[in-house]
Amino acid sequence: MPTHSIAVIPGDGIGLEVIREGRLTLETLSEVTGDLILEFEDFPWGCQYYLDHGEMMPSDALKTLEQFDAIYFGACGFPSVPDPISQREMILLIRQSFQQYANIRPVRIWPGVPSPLAPDRLEGIDFICVRENSEGEYAGAGGRVHKDTPYEVALQTTVFTRVGVERVIRHAFELTERLGRRHVTNVTKSNALQFAPVFWDEVFDEVAGAYPAITTDRNLVDACAARMVGNPQTLDVLVASNLFGDILSDIGGALMGSLGVPPSANLGPGTGYPPMFEPVHGSAPDIAGQEIANPLASIWSAAMMVETFGDLEAANLLLDALADVTRSGVLTVDLGGTASTGEFGEAVRRALKARAS
Ligand code: NAD
Ligand code: IPM
Ligand code: MN
């Protein structure tokens, strides 16, 4: 049986709490299935490491991480460390260096979990946001000149490459086909921005031509944001550039009840680098250390990791156990419940054992 090696980076704030629960739950999943062999190694990197050592991760961190089959990441960010340092020198560095070009962020309603939408509007909400994850607005191209003068200029340049745009759009179509889904929405802003999004649309149309069985539509990102709230059932798979996908996926979290729910998989199929799995949410300094953070997103992300390892049965077992728990009314405070982070995690592990026995 193959062993899957996992580099665990809990990071900062609630990252520590939710990744602890995710890892314990993966260990239980491994126990109850018997044939999912997981090996973990912890890396205490992040903002505390930065305050102690002057860097978010050691200089050979990428070389170290490259050896693993997957990275399981919590969140990073401390109020005392500038965000552009903590985010760019860790999470974005990993995503971009490892060419994790497709960020997969599913949206669906969990049983028993209240959404801000009225209960009679929840039926059939089930879509996947495929976010470009290696370039676009996050490419890091730009600069500032004439600093601290009235003539100061700041540029943050959007970078779309043919390789980058094509591979993520192709990934969205491949995913749609593999999951038996039928429709891909192209999220764009080519009405106002005449260069990058128009190029994106051209590449989308070229790629779409190779998948005649999959229907498509083009949705301007502002209208898509409204559609996610007003008519989310009409979405199946959407593909968006880096910044658009970032914003839309937090709307997805809100639809699902809380930012404590949405998971993500950062994938770079074919690149040879390990993928990374992480909740969509951040380090939540406002609730960190209180043991009230919701670990649903981190546990769901763990299920996406197991699915990526190819063990669909174990991944589905974990998803079913999660649904057992939410359906039974065990919910954390963000979802209107009273369970602590550890109580929710423990309930999932009990549900796993109950299903397996
Ligand atoms: P955030 O996601 O940390 O928090 C936004 C709100 O959602 C907060 O009120 C928080 O309490 C709540 N929330 C988030 N996750 C929750 C959970 N699991 N359970 C219950 N409530 C939860 O976003 P923010 O406040 O904008 O950012 C805080 C820090 O995290 C910043 O430094 C930011 O740059 C960083 N950040 C990191 C990541 C990441 O590492 N992947 C993602 C987003 C933000
Ligand atoms: C996310 C986060 C990150 C992003 C930040 C922390 C860099 O918001 O994963 O959605 O913008 O991609
Ligand atoms: Mn985000």
Side-chain angles (χ1 to χ4, degrees):
M1 271 175 283
T3 300
H4 305 287
S5 61
I6 302 167
V8 182
I9 311 176
D12 308 311
I14 64 167
L16 301 165
E17 298 156 52
V18 300
I19 290 300
R20 177 196 67 217
E21 293 308 315
R23 178 178 169 168
L24 286 169
T25 305
L26 278 169
E27 284 168 356
T28 302
L29 184 65
S30 176
E31 259 166 56
V32 301
T33 55
D35 56 2
L36 176 69
I37 314 293
L38 305 175
E39 234 173 48
F40 299 93
E41 190 170 338
D42 273 304
F43 296 95
W45 300 335
C47 288
Q48 190 55 54
Y49 190 92
Y50 177 84
L51 294 175
D52 296 340
H53 299 89
E55 52 189 1
M56 293 293 289
M57 317 188 280
S59 52
D60 60 354
L62 293 174
K63 268 204 160 46
T64 305
L65 293 175
E66 209 179 314
Q67 313 302 318
F68 287 82
D69 294 322
I71 303 163
Y72 187 38
F73 186 90
C76 60
F78 256 11
S80 56
V81 177
D83 261 351
I85 292 180
S86 60
Q87 309 306 324
R88 292 211 73 90
E89 295 186 8
M90 192 147 142
I91 184 167
L92 297 178
L93 183 70
I94 297 173
R95 288 179 187 167
Q96 294 181 0
S97 305
F98 286 172
Q99 299 284 319
Q100 294 165 342
Y101 57 83
N103 189 324
I104 311 302
R105 298 185 159 190
V107 177
R108 72 162 120 109
I109 305 296
W110 286 84
V113 172
S115 162
L117 291 190
D120 64 349
R121 303 188 62 183
L122 299 179
E123 186 68 29
I125 298 179
D126 175 14
F127 60 94
I128 300 174
C129 175
V130 178
R131 170 189 179 190
E132 202 294 316
N133 209 32
S134 64
E135 52 178 34
E137 305 79 359
Y138 284 63
R144 285 172 69 170
V145 288
H146 308 309
K147 262 190 141 179
D148 302 323
T149 74
Y151 315 102
E152 185 158 359
V153 179
L155 295 173
Q156 189 89 41
T157 306
T158 298
V159 176
F160 282 6
T161 64
R162 183 168 282 281
V163 166
V165 173
E166 192 180 316
R167 66 186 176 181
V168 72
I169 292 173
R170 192 171 296 286
H171 189 88
F173 279 92
E174 291 288 324
L175 182 72
T176 305
E177 203 168 66
R178 182 161 60 77
L179 297 178
R181 289 177 180 260
R182 314 167 68 90
H183 190 80
V184 180
T185 296
N186 169 21
V187 178
T188 183
K189 190 65 193 174
S190 48
N191 56 340
L193 310 179
Q194 72 272 50
F195 305 123
V198 169
F199 171 66
W200 170 282
D201 288 353
E202 286 168 10
V203 175
F204 181 95
D205 292 343
E206 276 168 34
V207 173
Y211 299 86
I214 297 173
T215 55
T216 64
D217 69 322
R218 184 183 291 184
N219 206 187
L220 299 172
V221 63
D222 46 353
C224 187
R227 177 178 175 187
M228 278 180 71
V229 176
N231 222 351
Q233 289 81 358
T234 63
L235 291 163
D236 191 0
V237 173
L238 62 86
V239 61
S241 65
N242 213 332
L243 184 59
F244 293 168
D246 176 45
I247 297 165
L248 293 181
S249 55
D250 267 27
I251 302 179
L255 272 181
M256 291 191 275
S258 154
L259 271 183
V261 180
S264 74
N266 301 269
L267 308 177
T271 61
Y273 291 111
M276 177 162 70
F277 302 85
E278 48 164 339
V280 166
H281 66 71
S283 55
D286 55 338
I287 58 164
Q290 298 177 33
E291 292 293 338
I292 57 169
N294 189 349
L296 205 164
S298 63
I299 298 175
W300 190 357
S301 302
M304 294 178 85
M305 174 160 62
V306 172
E307 184 193 331
T308 305
F309 289 153
D311 195 337
L312 272 186
E313 207 179 317
N316 286 332
L317 179 65
L318 182 49
L319 293 175
D320 288 344
L322 267 174
D324 290 343
V325 172
T326 59
R327 192 180 296 110
S328 76
V330 175
L331 299 174
T332 43
V333 179
D334 53 314
L335 298 176
T338 57
S340 68
T341 310
E343 284 165 352
F344 185 89
E346 198 44 49
V348 178
R349 294 188 282 278
R350 267 201 310 277
L352 270 176
K353 288 177 187 156
R355 277 192 168 264
S357 64

